[in-house]
């Protein structure tokens, strides 16, 4: 495989789910926010107030639209709810929305993805890591590009982007500039430069987070949180930004 050179300016997207995370992206120099609720569950649709705060930050915002946790096989009610959320996001001024739907355990629901593309007219639209469940993610790039999607977020079908780097590189080749492939999952200051070199992506996605104890054992025991506290680190964002170039 031909190794692609590291670009002088690779877009850095940071996923956050609270106000402190938004502030950390601003302080750390992130280029775009993927705004979610409940990142501990993989990211759900964020609240309207959090969306408004993020938009006011001045950093472009792509908002997650995911009505529940778990798989991406949605019934008619859930799909309609997501469509309504997309339209509400547009009214709140987000730059784009992040969606995904599966027809079964190995195929994208292209009909639903097309309906969401229509609902998101005038905004960017991203297919999220639902594509990492697809049997043939490289082949799926063609279908997603044909729907008019702007970006695909992927780990190359692996647990981390580093592990799926060869597949991500093939997805970049398949996209052929028609949409942007964003490499995400496990991206850190230590591996981001090599990841870009191996894949040729023009954008990377990271949580840039650290884990902290809640300081009260009852928080987890009573079901108020899933695991340790996750906090977005402006320092980690800045470290990734330095590694991939200031532009």
């Amino acid at each position: 495989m031909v190794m692609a050179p590291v670009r002088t300016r690779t877009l850095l997207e940071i996923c956050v789910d609270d106000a402190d995370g938004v502030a950390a992206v601003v302080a750390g120099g992130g280029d775009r926010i993927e705004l979610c609720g409940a990142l501990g569950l993989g990211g759900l649709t964020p609240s309207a107030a959090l969306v408004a705060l993020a938009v006011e930050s001045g950093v472009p915002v792509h908002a997650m639209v995911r009505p529940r946790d778990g798989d991406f096989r949605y019934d008619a009610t859930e799909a309609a709810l997501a469509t309504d959320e997309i339209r509400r996001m547009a009214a709140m001024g987000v730059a784009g929305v992040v969606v995904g739907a599966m027809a079964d355990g190995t195929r994208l629901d292209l009909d639903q993805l097309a309906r969401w593309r229509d609902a998101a007219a005038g905004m960017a639209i991203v297919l999220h890591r639902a594509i990492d469940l697809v049997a043939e993610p490289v082949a799926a790039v063609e279908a997603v590009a044909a729907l008019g999607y702007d970006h695909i977020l992927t780990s190359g079908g692996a647990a981390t982007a580093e592990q799926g780097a060869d597949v991500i590189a093939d997805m970049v080749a398949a996209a052929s500039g028609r949409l942007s492939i964003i490499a995400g999952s496990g991206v850190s200051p230590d591996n981001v430069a090599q990841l870009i070199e191996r894949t040729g992506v023009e954008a990377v996605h990271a949580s840039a987070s650290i884990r902290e104890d809640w300081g009260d054992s009852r928080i987890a025991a009573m079901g108020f949180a899933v695991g340790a506290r996750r906090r977005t680190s402006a320092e980690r964002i800045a470290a990734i930004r330095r590694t991939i170039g200031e532009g």
Side-chain angles (χ1 to χ4, degrees):
M1 181 178 296
V2 176
M3 304 293 266
V6 176
R7 294 167 176 81
T8 57
R9 180 70 181 188
T10 302
L11 186 142
L12 175 57
E13 177 179 270
I14 304 295
C15 57
V16 305
D17 64 357
D18 59 18
D20 285 346
V22 172
V25 176
V26 174
D31 298 306
R32 187 167 64 215
I33 294 169
E34 184 195 76
L35 190 67
C36 305
L39 276 174
L41 300 176
L44 303 178
T45 306
S47 72
L50 183 59
V51 172
L53 182 144
V55 169
E56 289 171 2
S57 76
V59 179
V61 175
H62 284 179
M64 176 69 71
V65 175
R66 186 180 176 212
R68 59 164 173 78
D69 66 348
D71 65 18
F72 306 105
R73 298 175 66 179
Y74 299 120
D75 63 25
T77 300
E78 292 168 332
L81 178 65
T83 301
D84 188 35
E85 292 282 14
I86 289 169
R87 292 175 176 143
R88 291 172 186 267
M89 293 296 181
M92 286 188 281
V94 302
V97 290
V98 184
V99 301
M102 299 289 288
D104 54 33
T106 61
R107 295 180 302 125
L108 293 170
D109 186 340
L110 296 176
D111 290 339
Q112 185 56 59
L113 293 179
R115 288 190 284 271
W116 286 339
R117 170 68 278 185
D118 291 343
M123 293 188 289
I125 189 165
V126 186
L127 173 64
H128 60 47
R129 290 186 60 211
I131 198 168
D132 292 325
L133 301 177
V134 172
E136 299 291 342
V138 177
V141 171
E142 178 65 37
V144 177
L147 291 178
Y149 273 60
D150 301 287
H151 311 276
I152 295 174
L153 172 63
T154 182
S155 62
T160 68
E162 190 172 17
Q163 293 169 351
D166 290 344
V167 174
I168 296 173
D170 290 341
M171 294 172 75
V172 170
S176 190
R178 292 172 295 171
L179 52 72
S180 168
I181 303 296
I182 308 168
S185 184
V187 175
S188 73
D190 297 328
N191 64 20
V192 67
Q194 184 182 45
L195 179 64
I196 296 166
E197 184 178 9
R198 290 180 62 191
T199 62
V201 295
E202 296 180 350
V204 292
H205 169 103
S207 68
S209 61
I210 58 177
R211 299 283 180 170
E212 299 175 336
D213 188 80
W214 289 102
D216 185 338
S217 61
R218 296 173 300 170
I219 299 300
M222 292 188 175
F224 299 151
V226 179
R229 181 180 184 182
R230 174 196 166 282
R231 181 173 66 80
T232 308
S233 166
E235 292 78 14
R236 287 181 66 85
I237 296 170
I240 298 173
R241 179 74 273 163
R242 287 192 299 272
T243 300
I244 63 180
E246 296 293 342

